[in-house]
Amino acid sequence: MYSAKVMEHFLHPRNVGVIEDADGVGEVGNPACGDVMTFYVKVKEDRIAEVKFQTFGCAAAIAVASMVSEMAKGKHISEALKITNRDVAEALEGLPKQKLHCSNLGADALHKAIEDYLARKKEKEAGDDGNQSSCAR
């Protein structure tokens, strides 16, 4: 039913855990199947320096989260945002038809974590600009 690559990432998932001081956090869930994924990213010079995940779900969901984390590590954020569900399924050498939705969760959770990072960065930059201008007055 599952490819050897899916089983490898399910039995030995990479990058499991939490980044306490994450630069971005993204969580998605699928109410139909109950799967929930949370991704945490640390970004240095616009590259994913560290990525971790937590997932509550089936073997495919765990394998997908593990693979997405490996695919994103070291990538520029613009490249990581281009990771698609199809890319993930192909990297895992296929997923059963009824489990393809899991690949959406992984890519979506990663994208949300990066979007959270970008929003925090923008907010911080706006705050820094505001502090500088008020001091200069």
Side-chain angles (χ1 to χ4, degrees):
M1 179 173 182
Y2 290 120
S3 71
K5 186 73 83 173
V6 170
M7 291 307 296
E8 170 63 22
H9 277 269
F10 166 61
L11 294 171
H12 307 285
R14 283 74 156 173
N15 309 305
V16 175
V18 175
I19 300 173
E20 294 297 335
D21 59 342
D23 295 322
V25 179
E27 181 174 286
V28 296
N30 183 329
C33 68
D35 292 343
V36 178
M37 285 183 196
T38 306
F39 268 77
Y40 305 86
V41 295
K42 287 291 280 181
V43 180
K44 299 250 188 295
E45 298 177 8
D46 287 335
R47 291 197 171 275
I48 307 290
E50 185 179 4
V51 57
K52 298 226 180 252
F53 73 89
Q54 291 183 306
T55 189
F56 178 83
C58 63
I62 293 166
V64 161
S66 175
M67 180 56 81
V68 169
S69 71
E70 286 291 286
M71 292 171 75
K73 197 186 300 181
K75 282 203 171 23
H76 190 278
I77 54 174
S78 62
E79 294 172 321
L81 282 168
K82 293 178 185 173
I83 295 172
T84 67
N85 58 329
R86 174 175 275 159
D87 296 334
V88 178
E90 287 175 5
L92 287 169
E93 299 170 356
L95 286 169
K97 194 176 191 176
Q98 67 273 24
K99 297 294 181 178
L100 279 173
H101 68 277
C102 294
S103 62
N104 287 337
L105 292 178
D108 289 350
L110 173 67
H111 296 166
K112 281 193 171 196
I114 294 169
E115 289 161 5
D116 181 48
Y117 158 72
L118 292 171
R120 290 181 191 193
K121 181 180 173 185
K122 186 176 181 180
E123 189 175 291
K124 184 179 178 191
E125 288 170 354
D128 288 347
D129 290 346
N131 289 339
Q132 289 173 350
S133 63
S134 64
C135 292
R137 289 184 196 154

